[in-house]
Amino acid sequence: PVVERAPDRPLRIFAFWKHYNWENHNLLPALAKFGEVVHYDPTEDFDPAAPGEPDREGRARMQERLRTLIIEAHARAPLDLLFFYASGASLDPPFLGRLAALGIPMVNFGHDDIVYFEDRKVDGIYRGNAHIASCFDVYCCTSAIGFQKALAVGATPYFMPGGGNPEVYRPRPGMQRDLDVVLVGARFYDRGETIEHLRGRGIEVQAFGRGWPSGPVSNDEQIELLSRARIVLGFNRCSG
């Protein structure tokens, strides 16, 4: 793609993502540093993470509403960027082609792109980013392997390793370090096996998130737990 200098003024950004627990606390303030952000969360119209068979009618309605909101926002004042944190579970190539025809630069942030770049297929489309990465002007990936996978499908990847907003995620002063090991994150892939192995070796690990008995925690609770932990446990796969 042709790289042009950003206008010398605050940007107008239309943003699309579903808020699970960290997105609004991190992405919104980060994007707001560049200018005005118009955010659409599709949850009311369609939940890409809902269990069972996908809601195809709800997804189609959500896509049409998304396109309408973008066109209306662009009519009020020109948009400089369409920012997505999305996957093939929400968006498909034909729809993204219609958005691209609007002529507004599009960027997608791919997360968990080692484990979920492909994921399973629904109606012939991967639920990950494999089929949609090339539809964006820039596809931001969080791993070297994700970068290679994006190149292989014809996308234009930008390597942007995962991290936390230091204005949000910072230790709280005065907290007692009374938890030995803390993991905050969903139970998937080999995390359960690893946690059970550590516990079997006498290491007391507290795990929070989808799939764990303790369940998910709020962003505020997460920061408190991390501030109380002697060791914060993280997972990062290094092979595809």
Side-chain angles (χ1 to χ4, degrees), residues 141-219:
C141 53
T142 58
S143 70
I145 291 174
F147 190 96
Q148 295 168 358
K149 289 182 175 183
L151 283 176
V153 299
T156 304
Y158 179 81
F159 182 48
M160 191 170 68
N165 186 340
E167 296 179 4
V168 178
Y169 294 101
R170 54 186 176 185
R172 290 186 173 168
M175 298 294 295
Q176 182 180 357
R177 299 278 183 173
D178 58 348
L179 301 176
D180 288 340
V181 182
V182 170
L183 166 69
V184 179
R187 179 171 183 160
F188 72 101
Y189 229 68
D190 56 0
R191 290 182 176 181
E193 179 182 347
T194 303
I195 295 302
E196 292 307 314
H197 174 76
L198 293 173
R199 288 171 174 168
R201 302 292 290 269
I203 300 173
E204 188 173 346
V205 183
Q206 307 288 332
F208 303 86
R210 286 178 295 159
W212 301 107
S214 299
V217 294
S218 68
N219 196 69

Side-chain angles (χ1 to χ4, degrees), residues 87-132:
S87 69
S90 300
L91 309 174
D92 56 59
F95 172 72
L96 289 170
R98 294 171 61 201
L99 290 187
L102 299 175
I104 308 169
M106 302 198 306
V107 172
N108 190 35
F109 173 53
H111 203 31
D112 290 333
D113 50 16
I114 294 178
V115 178
Y116 288 128
F117 187 77
E118 290 89 6
D119 203 1
R120 64 186 178 90
K121 281 187 176 181
V122 175
D123 298 332
I125 298 175
Y126 281 119
R127 285 178 55 86
N129 279 286
H131 278 144
I132 67 170

